[in-house]
Amino acid sequence: MGEKRKKVYEALVDGATEGHRDRQLYDFVQQRCPKTSSKKIVRASLLALSDPDLKDHNILSMIYALAIKHRLDAVRSDDDDQDDDDPTELAPSISDVKTTATAPSGEDLPA
């Protein structure tokens, strides 16, 4: 493990152990490792989640929630795609997408 990732990992685990959660935990890690990014925090979170020595459910839950919340931060901030008509438009829900499979005989199968 790289030294920078180890520092972020340690700050993340220390902050969660001290009871920080959500934004407080993110700020705690940012304060201890000022040059870190959301991407590095998410990577350190995944490392913590795969650590067999870290077994406290509450700590793992806080780290997991932080990783999920910040997973797409880097994508959103780096997304300069100007081809979209309306970049704020939401993607369709999977329940709205209707797919029909066709049987070999040409009959429609139930979705």
Side-chain angles (χ1 to χ4, degrees):
M1 169 181 355
E3 190 168 325
K4 289 180 184 180
R5 186 175 298 163
K6 185 176 181 181
K7 286 182 182 182
V8 175
Y9 167 80
E10 289 171 353
L12 186 64
V13 172
D14 289 347
T17 303
E18 291 177 16
H20 297 290
R21 65 182 70 219
D22 299 327
R23 188 65 193 182
Q24 289 178 338
L25 180 56
Y26 185 82
D27 291 342
F28 180 85
V29 175
Q30 284 281 320
Q31 186 178 17
R32 292 245 319 244
C33 304
K35 293 184 180 182
T36 195
S37 64
S38 289
K39 185 176 181 177
K40 290 177 184 176
I41 291 173
V42 169
R43 286 184 178 173
S45 298
L46 295 175
L47 182 63
L49 292 171
S50 64
D51 185 347
D53 295 329
L54 194 57
K55 296 179 179 162
D56 187 312
H57 180 270
N58 293 327
I59 292 171
L60 291 170
S61 294
M62 286 184 251
I63 291 171
Y64 177 77
L66 181 74
I68 294 298
K69 184 174 182 177
H70 292 281
R71 167 60 177 87
L72 297 175
D73 283 355
V75 174
R76 281 188 236 131
S77 66
D78 294 342
D79 191 12
D80 291 337
D81 192 7
Q82 299 298 325
D83 295 335
D84 290 338
D85 293 331
D86 183 8
T88 61
E89 183 180 350
L90 296 175
S93 170
I94 191 70
S95 62
D96 294 339
V97 177
K98 295 184 179 184
T99 59
T100 52
T102 305
S105 63
E107 297 175 22
D108 285 345
L109 295 175

